[in-house]
Amino acid sequence: MRIGIDCRSYGPEYGYKGQYMKNLISHLVKNDDGNEYILFFFDREFSEFANNSSWIHVIKTSAKIGSIAEQITFPHELYKQKLDLMVFGTPNSPVAYYKKSVVILSDLVSYFYPEKELKSSLWRHFST
């Protein structure tokens, strides 16, 4: 199975979402050899990522999260790879990508524990 993973928010500089993606990729590298993974990185993360696995391919993309390029050029990059499944690390995903995909919602902690994230009672009222 060819699985694409959106690693544009990879690493600790992207907060807990980036750390989640980093941990996800490190566990896949160690534990899964039955699938082929195609990882999509920005320039800096692309050059820093050390790939020693034959079943992991790294692709550089310039489509920023939440940008017009994400909606126009990124789907073309995804379709070129002929993926069976695409995993997006943030809720921002290309609207024009119609194949099977999964969105990781790692920030549901603020939904279940609003008092930890939102200080104002007014914000807490409108967020539920």
Side-chain angles (χ1 to χ4, degrees):
M1 186 175 214
R2 287 178 59 88
I3 301 172
I5 300 178
D6 181 6
C7 294
R8 295 177 298 159
S9 60
Y10 177 89
E13 59 271 3
Y14 292 98
Y16 63 90
K17 291 178 190 177
Q19 192 61 40
Y20 180 88
M21 291 304 294
K22 186 175 181 178
N23 290 337
L24 173 70
I25 299 302
S26 68
H27 287 292
L28 287 176
V29 168
K30 294 176 189 173
N31 299 319
D32 189 5
D33 57 356
N35 296 308
E36 183 179 3
Y37 294 97
I38 295 85
L39 310 179
F40 298 89
F41 283 100
F42 283 135
D43 272 343
R44 188 181 62 171
E45 290 82 8
F46 175 82
S47 60
E48 292 176 1
F49 184 74
N51 181 19
N52 298 328
S53 303
S54 61
W55 63 88
I56 293 181
H57 307 286
V58 182
I59 295 178
K60 183 171 39 172
T61 185
S62 61
K64 293 186 179 175
I65 297 171
S67 69
I68 298 288
E70 178 182 54
Q71 301 301 321
I72 297 171
T73 60
F74 195 47
H76 293 295
E77 294 174 18
L78 299 177
Y79 284 123
K80 279 187 213 174
Q81 298 303 318
K82 297 182 174 43
L83 303 170
D84 297 317
L85 178 69
M86 180 64 195
V87 178
F88 294 102
T90 64
N92 297 336
S93 61
V95 177
Y97 187 72
Y98 300 111
K99 293 186 84 178
K100 290 182 183 179
S101 63
V102 174
V103 176
I104 298 173
L105 297 175
S106 61
D107 56 354
L108 286 176
V109 171
S110 62
Y111 178 78
F112 289 108
Y113 301 101
E115 67 278 358
K116 301 286 185 189
E117 184 71 25
L118 304 173
K119 304 294 181 198
S120 167
S121 62
L122 182 63
W123 281 108
R124 233 179 291 139
H125 174 71
F126 287 111
S127 68
T128 57

